[in-house]
Structures are given as C-alpha cells and as structure tokens.
Amino acid sequence: MKVVTVILFSLIIAMGFSQKKYEFDYWIEYEVTHFQDSVKIKNRPFREKDTTFRKILLTNSKKNDYLVVLTEVDSVTYALNLTDNEGISINSEILKSELLSSENFSVACELVSQYTNPFTYQTKNYDFIAMTDTTIAKSSYHRYKLASIKPKKVKRLKLGTEYYIIDKHTGFHKPILEFSTAYEEWKTRRNLTNGILFEKYFIDYYGNLDSKEKLLSYRKINKEIRISGKCGNLKN
C-alpha cells in the first residue's frame, strides 16, 4: 500500500487544478472491540478471542456524506480510508508525523477509486428506530437501533441489530455513519438525531455482543484533503 504524499497548500495551488477537496473539523477517537464468538455464523470467520484496537475518524460536523477512518499500521503509520458516499474512495497509508503536523494534503489520482454502495436497496429493509434514552455514568444519552423491519428475513438470514448511543451535548455534529448502508438509510428518512456517537454496539441474532465501539475523545481540527489533477478514471 502506498503512502500518501503530503504537499503544502501553496504547492497545491501552484499545481493549478484540484478536482475535489474534503474538509475536516473534528478528530474523533474510539476504542473498538470485536468479541470472541460463541456461535459459528455462516460466511464469517470464527473469532477465537477478543481483539481490541483504536481508530480515529476525521469528520466534517456539517457534512456527513464523507469521512476518513484511520487505523494504526505500526508505530509510525496509519492506514487511511476515505469514503465519499457520493462516489469516491481512497485507500492508502499516511505517516503519523505528517498527519499531525500538516493541515493540507494532496492525494494522487492513482490512489482514488470510484465508489458505489451495492446495498442501497437495503433502505427498504432497514430502519433507524428511536428507543428510550439510556443513562451511563449519570449522564443521559439518545439511543437508537438500526434493525431489519422484515421479521421473516431476520429469522431466515439470522440478522442482528446495531445500537447507537448518541451524546446529547454534541448536536452541532451531523450523525456519524461510517458504513454506507447506514448513511443511505439516514439520507432516505432523516430519522436519526444529530450528535457524536458515544457508543455503538452490535448484538447478533443469538443475543450475543458481537462488537462495541466506545468514544475516547474528540477535538476540533482544521484539515483538508484534495485530489490533485484531473482523474480520468472517475466519473465525477
């Protein structure tokens, strides 16, 4: 995997053309745990032990159609995945030192791919459902679940449910929807409140806790990623 080349903003302007830019104003860090499996599930590797790691999201509080997910490769490098639900994805690596020290980045066309969500049709099968608020450490949080609304499919396909616990004090931030199907569901119905996710967890069909994400911290930033040059391999 290639490392993203960092170019200062003045040099980007000198290139004369940038096809698209992405602006980020929040750095949000989560602890992610995938739990040991107790039941074998079709078409998924069996997890023999718990695994925990940290991930970072770069987000735009006013626009949630794109975001960046950063996960640690080693002590000096992050894997970078940018998904733009309107049609672009970037998968690469970036040096931690460059990410922290620079505000503006340029990405070459060779690292950019066309993106189309193949599961957009699932919006007719799923819905965000408001639940009663939950209390964690004496603080109240909004609670939603993303679940299938087709009981027969739930039983036949052994479908689980994803739960969203949202910080009530962060209504300045549009919903953070890392997976494109969840984004398409929100885009269709707009039935999920604004706010930063405090927790997200998935309960499988058998009632087992499959995975959990817990908010560690968030802070304001000012960073920008630009696609440099005309990318002939892209439609937009």
Side-chain angles (χ1 to χ4, degrees):
M1 192 173 280
K2 298 182 179 180
V3 177
V4 173
T5 301
V6 178
I7 303 177
L8 296 179
F9 186 67
S10 59
L11 294 180
I12 297 174
I13 295 298
M15 293 175 66
F17 179 86
S18 287
Q19 186 188 37
K20 198 170 182 67
K21 70 176 181 180
Y22 298 95
E23 297 174 334
F24 305 93
D25 61 355
Y26 274 88
W27 173 293
I28 308 175
E29 189 167 350
Y30 290 92
E31 180 181 77
V32 182
T33 302
H34 292 167
F35 295 98
Q36 177 183 348
D37 283 325
S38 57
V39 178
K40 288 189 176 182
I41 298 176
K42 187 178 180 181
N43 299 323
R44 196 185 78 179
F46 185 81
R47 299 190 197 125
E48 296 183 351
K49 61 180 181 179
D50 295 354
T51 58
T52 300
F53 62 94
R54 292 190 178 192
K55 74 175 180 182
I56 296 163
L57 303 184
L58 305 185
T59 67
N60 185 317
S61 60
K62 302 297 189 291
K63 289 175 62 66
N64 66 346
D65 54 336
Y66 64 85
L67 57 72
V68 162
V69 179
L70 300 165
T71 51
E72 191 174 74
V73 176
D74 52 38
S75 61
V76 298
T77 311
Y78 285 123
L80 181 151
N81 174 258
L82 183 152
T83 300
D84 175 353
N85 286 290
E86 303 306 316
I88 287 174
S89 69
I90 298 171
N91 291 282
S92 187
E93 292 183 353
I94 188 167
L95 297 175
K96 293 181 180 180
S97 58
E98 293 179 339
L99 178 66
L100 293 173
S101 64
S102 301
E103 292 185 354
N104 301 283
F105 308 88
S106 179
V107 177
C109 284
E110 64 191 66
L111 300 175
V112 182
S113 302
Q114 197 77 38
Y115 174 77
T116 302
N117 177 16
F119 301 109
T120 302
Y121 72 92
Q122 290 285 17
T123 58
K124 64 185 179 182
N125 296 320
Y126 284 82
D127 202 359
F128 281 109
I129 300 168
M131 305 176 70
T132 56
D133 291 350
T134 187
T135 300
I136 302 173
K138 298 183 179 180
S139 294
S140 180
Y141 295 85
H142 297 299
R143 184 169 57 148
Y144 290 79
K145 65 180 179 180
L146 178 61
S148 173
I149 55 176
K150 302 292 181 65
K152 290 183 178 179
K153 283 193 174 183
V154 171
K155 184 175 182 179
R156 177 168 58 85
L157 300 176
K158 305 295 188 289
L159 300 176
T161 301
E162 192 160 59
Y163 293 83
Y164 292 70
I165 311 300
I166 300 173
D167 188 338
K168 290 185 175 182
H169 302 292
T170 58
F172 56 83
H173 200 300
K174 281 197 171 183
I176 298 170
L177 301 167
E178 184 178 340
F179 297 104
S180 293
T181 300
Y183 168 76
E184 294 292 343
E185 180 61 40
W186 171 84
K187 183 180 176 182
T188 300
R189 295 183 174 84
R190 303 296 173 108
N191 55 351
L192 182 68
T193 189
N194 283 358
I196 292 175
L197 283 172
F198 180 74
E199 285 185 0
K200 183 173 70 174
Y201 57 94
F202 185 80
I203 304 293
D204 69 21
Y205 175 79
Y206 302 97
N208 300 311
L209 180 59
D210 178 84
S211 61
K212 183 177 182 179
E213 300 184 13
K214 184 175 182 179
L215 178 68
L216 297 176
S217 64
Y218 64 88
R219 60 182 173 87
K220 287 277 289 182
I221 59 170
N222 180 22
K223 293 186 183 294
E224 183 178 289
I225 294 176
R226 292 195 178 201
I227 299 171
S228 58
K230 282 191 174 182
C231 300
N233 59 321
L234 301 179
K235 294 178 182 179
N236 59 347

